[in-house]
Amino acid sequence: MILILLLALRTTWRFARAPLLAALVALLAWAAPASAQYAGLRTLVVPGAEPVTVALYYPTPAVARTQPMGPWRPVVTPGAPVAAAPLKGLVLISHGTGGHELGHHNLATRLAADGYLVAAPRHPGDNWEDRSMITSGRYFSERPRQVSRVLDALLAHPEWGPRIPAGRIGAVGHSAGGYTVLALAGAQAEPARAAQHCRSVADDPGFCSLGKLSSGRGDSSPSAPAATPAAAPAGAQDGPLVSVADPRIRAVVALAPMAVVLTPQSLAAITVPVKVIMAERDVVLQGKYHGQHVAAHLPGVDASTVPGAGHFAFMAQSVWPLVSDAGDAAANPEGFDRVAYHATLENQVAEFLGRQWR
């Protein structure tokens, strides 16, 4: 179109020089982005008995580049200045068991470029280096509390606190992170449900083995993913019902969530908007026991299933194999294009969050 205008300008220069120049300038101004934003990246460490390392993704005018970071390739500008425009909100991202704060960098950078501050903690005791929390006796309570501590730190932070809009705080979680954000929304865990579930079914081995639970009928001595009181400090144990809601969380997206431990009554009582996305070919957490459990008991939930997707479809595509007890997190079911799917995922999450705060 610009070439056509230039040719027209050349042939009619003597007759309409000023109007054509004005049209060309207007077209060029329209074609260029007025305020392009990219994703900056910083690291925050929340102090405490168990310090929490947090990846902070945020909007910046500095052009981002692909940064090799271990198995990940986020498109970010480390340490870049923060964009001057007000933030749209804060989004907390909780990774799955054995995960990493960069494991959802694609979604985080998209939301940052859209104007959000995104905080992705590395869960102490449940990350790629250390999974000791799984047998600590406080798994179901501690995971959500770690996210709440990150939120406390950000709201009190001299730079970030004043920028975070009141009432615009959301949370996204994958797998065990899906449990985490549903618990923050008000769902209550009953740890005994895990053992009961694994006594009664034989087709959810991924969940039962990851939680150190017995799977299959006829086993009379299953153990919940909580050790005896001697395995953790006094007073730190999960009780028979775990309630760790954080009323500051106003919207939740749960991706292939671990949810069988959540009570139907508490799911039904959730009042914040919730979106649940399941994977059709999930062999780690069978959707009929987890995501569909949420969909069946939470009125008004926005639930969907991704055709052909495996459990790890919601993580960024790693360039290396990521072998774990649950399988290779970098692998995809035959015929499923994770990279192509992520454009859809990012749009869905961004649209869902944006719809809550219009």
Side-chain angles (χ1 to χ4, degrees):
M1 185 182 290
I2 293 174
L3 178 59
I4 293 172
L5 281 175
L6 288 172
L7 291 173
L9 178 63
R10 179 180 176 184
T11 58
T12 61
W13 183 259
R14 289 176 300 172
F15 304 102
R17 178 168 51 188
L20 281 172
L21 278 173
L24 178 61
V25 170
L27 178 62
L28 290 173
W30 170 82
S35 56
Q37 288 190 139
Y38 303 90
L41 177 64
R42 298 181 189 174
T43 298
L44 173 72
V45 177
V46 178
E50 293 179 304
V52 185
T53 298
V54 185
L56 294 179
Y57 306 81
Y58 55 89
T60 179
V63 177
R65 299 282 186 267
T66 300
Q67 306 287 338
M69 295 182 177
W72 313 111
R73 297 294 183 268
V75 181
V76 293
T77 305
V82 185
L87 292 172
K88 284 186 178 180
L90 166 65
V91 180
L92 300 143
I93 296 183
S94 175
H95 63 68
T97 188
H100 192 278
E101 66 270 23
L102 296 178
H104 298 276
H105 67 73
N106 56 317
L107 178 58
T109 54
R110 161 61 189 275
L111 293 174
D114 278 359
Y116 292 93
L117 170 63
V118 181
R122 181 194 308 169
H123 283 279
D126 191 17
N127 58 68
W128 68 283
E129 293 180 303
D130 175 14
R131 295 182 62 203
S132 58
M133 186 167 57
I134 292 177
T135 55
S136 68
R138 54 195 177 92
Y139 188 83
F140 295 115
S141 58
E142 184 59 17
R143 246 186 166 272
R145 285 173 178 156
Q146 289 172 349
V147 176
S148 289
R149 287 199 289 273
V150 171
L151 179 52
D152 291 340
L154 286 170
L155 292 175
H157 196 278
E159 178 179 9
W160 297 113
R163 291 175 176 266
I164 298 170
R168 294 192 171 196
I169 300 173
V172 179
H174 172 232
S175 193
Y179 158 78
T180 300
V181 299
L182 287 167
L184 290 167
Q188 296 176 326
E190 187 176 18
R193 289 177 59 88
Q196 293 165 0
H197 170 69
C198 292
R199 274 200 302 267
S200 61
V201 306
D203 58 345
D204 199 16
F207 168 76
C208 295
S209 62
L210 285 173
K212 306 277 192 294
L213 298 165
S214 300
S215 180
R217 299 179 182 275
D219 188 338
S220 61
S221 58
S223 59
T228 60
Q237 299 296 295
D238 289 344
L241 194 63
V242 177
S243 183
V244 285
D246 191 326
R248 298 170 296 183
I249 305 296
R250 301 295 182 87
V252 158
V253 179
L255 308 171
M258 180 189 77
V260 72
V261 296
L262 301 174
T263 68
Q265 297 87 347
S266 66
L267 287 169
I270 290 176
T271 58
V272 302
V274 173
K275 184 177 185 66
V276 174
I277 307 179
M278 294 163 275
E280 181 185 40
R281 299 172 67 180
D282 193 334
V283 297
V284 179
L285 295 174
Q286 289 286 347
K288 64 181 178 180
Y289 300 125
H290 298 278
Q292 289 180 29
H293 173 62
V294 178
H297 295 101
L298 203 170
V301 67
D302 179 353
S304 61
T305 299
V306 184
H311 182 72
F312 302 107
F314 308 104
M315 292 176 60
Q317 182 65 65
S318 166
V319 298
W320 302 342
L322 295 175
V323 180
S324 71
D325 291 344
D328 182 359
N332 299 293
E334 185 177 356
F336 183 77
D337 188 333
R338 188 189 307 195
V339 174
Y341 163 65
H342 278 178
T344 299
L345 173 65
E346 293 158 21
N347 287 337
Q348 287 180 330
V349 173
E351 192 278 333
F352 174 79
L353 293 174
R355 188 166 69 242
Q356 312 313 318
W357 300 316
R358 283 176 184 159

